[in-house]
Amino acid sequence: KAGVTQTPRYLIKTRGQQVTLSCSPISGHRSVSWYQQTPGQGLQFLFEYFSETQRNKGNFPGRFSGRQFSNSRSEMNVSTLELGDSALYLCASSLAGPGANVLTFGAGSRLTVL
Amino acid sequence: EDKVVQSPLSLVVHEGDTVTLNCSYEVTNFRSLLWYKQEKKAPTFLFMLTSSGIEKKSGRLSSILDKKELFSILNITATQTGDSAIYLCAGNYGGSQGNLIFGKGTKLSVKP
């Protein structure tokens, strides 16, 4: 079966712009989690959605937001981009959530902010 | 504050060597500890540990959890260049409705 699909894989933006990243989970998975990965901080949790509801949220500013659609696909948005937002953004899906099931990760979206 | 600490942060070995990667955790409402391998982009699942003292094995990789001392180790025997990757450890906090907290990872480089 198809894995977790993230688009776009690479993108370059400038400071002040906004970006939207997309994640299609494994079929049947209802939970989608987003992580930011940087060399200095490792994987940091952004938020988790389950059945279109945000269930958990990490310690990121309000510029980071997300949503989940009825088909479980999820998007995350970062507004007013800063240089420090340059990172690999990973999406992961699971049946019922990271607390209950093993996560399956996508290949990530590499964001570079100039 | 919940935290997961991995050591060493990076490691260089030669093919055939045995390596041990360490992960200590302080996680409230602990449920399980997971290991992932990240080669290019997507971390791939290796092990999930819930019980203390029970070793899990998969080929040359094995892992064990000590819930009293709050740590886990990942062993790789007879390393190969294909083992070069970042190895991530994550603690499950908050129970079944909870989430994962990741360590910063150990970057393993295996030289031929």
Side-chain angles (χ1 to χ4, degrees):
Chain A
K1 57 183 178 182
V4 179
T5 304
Q6 292 188 245
T7 57
R9 290 292 309 279
Y10 303 90
L11 65 167
I12 300 173
K13 294 284 186 178
T14 56
R15 279 181 298 174
Q17 287 187 310
Q18 74 165 18
V19 66
T20 299
L21 309 178
S22 179
C23 173
S24 293
I26 289 174
S27 178
H29 284 191
R30 296 168 65 188
S31 169
V32 173
S33 301
W34 289 89
Y35 292 85
Q36 181 196 66
Q37 187 176 30
T38 58
Q41 297 299 318
L43 261 80
Q44 292 188 287
F45 171 68
L46 282 157
F47 25 67
E48 185 232 347
Y49 286 87
F50 182 83
S51 292
E52 302 179 64
T53 301
Q54 187 180 87
R55 193 162 59 174
N56 282 301
K57 189 177 189 304
N59 290 327
F60 278 82
R63 301 185 296 107
F64 292 81
S65 62
R67 59 178 175 168
Q68 187 180 34
F69 302 95
S70 58
N71 61 357
S72 293
R73 189 177 71 86
S74 178
E75 289 181 348
M76 67 162 283
N77 184 77
V78 188
S79 62
T80 319
L81 284 167
E82 300 177 359
L83 295 178
D85 297 333
S86 295
L88 179 67
Y89 289 87
L90 290 164
C91 163
S93 76
S94 63
L95 281 168
N101 310 112
V102 171
L103 295 177
T104 300
F105 283 88
S109 293
R110 170 75 65 184
L111 171 64
T112 301
V113 182
L114 302 177
Chain B
E1 182 184 339
D2 294 321
K3 63 180 179 180
V4 172
V5 179
Q6 293 187 245
S7 64
L9 291 181
S10 66
L11 188 57
V12 180
V13 300
H14 288 92
E15 274 192 315
D17 288 348
T18 294
V19 298
T20 298
L21 310 182
N22 304 294
C23 175
S24 65
Y25 64 92
E26 292 179 29
V27 173
T28 55
N29 200 8
F30 176 83
R31 180 182 174 93
S32 60
L33 188 130
L34 296 93
W35 286 95
Y36 283 84
K37 177 183 181 182
Q38 186 177 24
E39 291 180 82
K40 298 289 185 183
K41 293 289 192 302
T44 55
F45 171 73
L46 293 174
F47 299 111
M48 180 168 69
L49 305 158
T50 56
S51 300
S52 213
I54 298 175
E55 184 183 53
K56 291 212 170 181
K57 292 196 72 170
S58 177
R60 296 176 293 102
L61 278 66
S62 64
S63 184
I64 197 162
L65 176 68
D66 186 326
K67 292 169 76 172
K68 181 179 177 184
E69 300 297 330
L70 307 183
F71 78 90
S72 174
I73 59 172
L74 175 68
N75 280 320
I76 308 175
T77 59
T79 52
Q80 303 171 357
T81 55
D83 295 326
S84 295
I86 297 173
Y87 290 85
L88 299 164
C89 168
N92 178 337
Y93 66 93
S96 61
Q97 294 295 311
N99 222 311
L100 299 181
I101 180 168
F102 282 84
K104 294 186 178 182
T106 294
K107 184 176 181 180
L108 173 65
S109 299
V110 182
K111 295 191 169 186

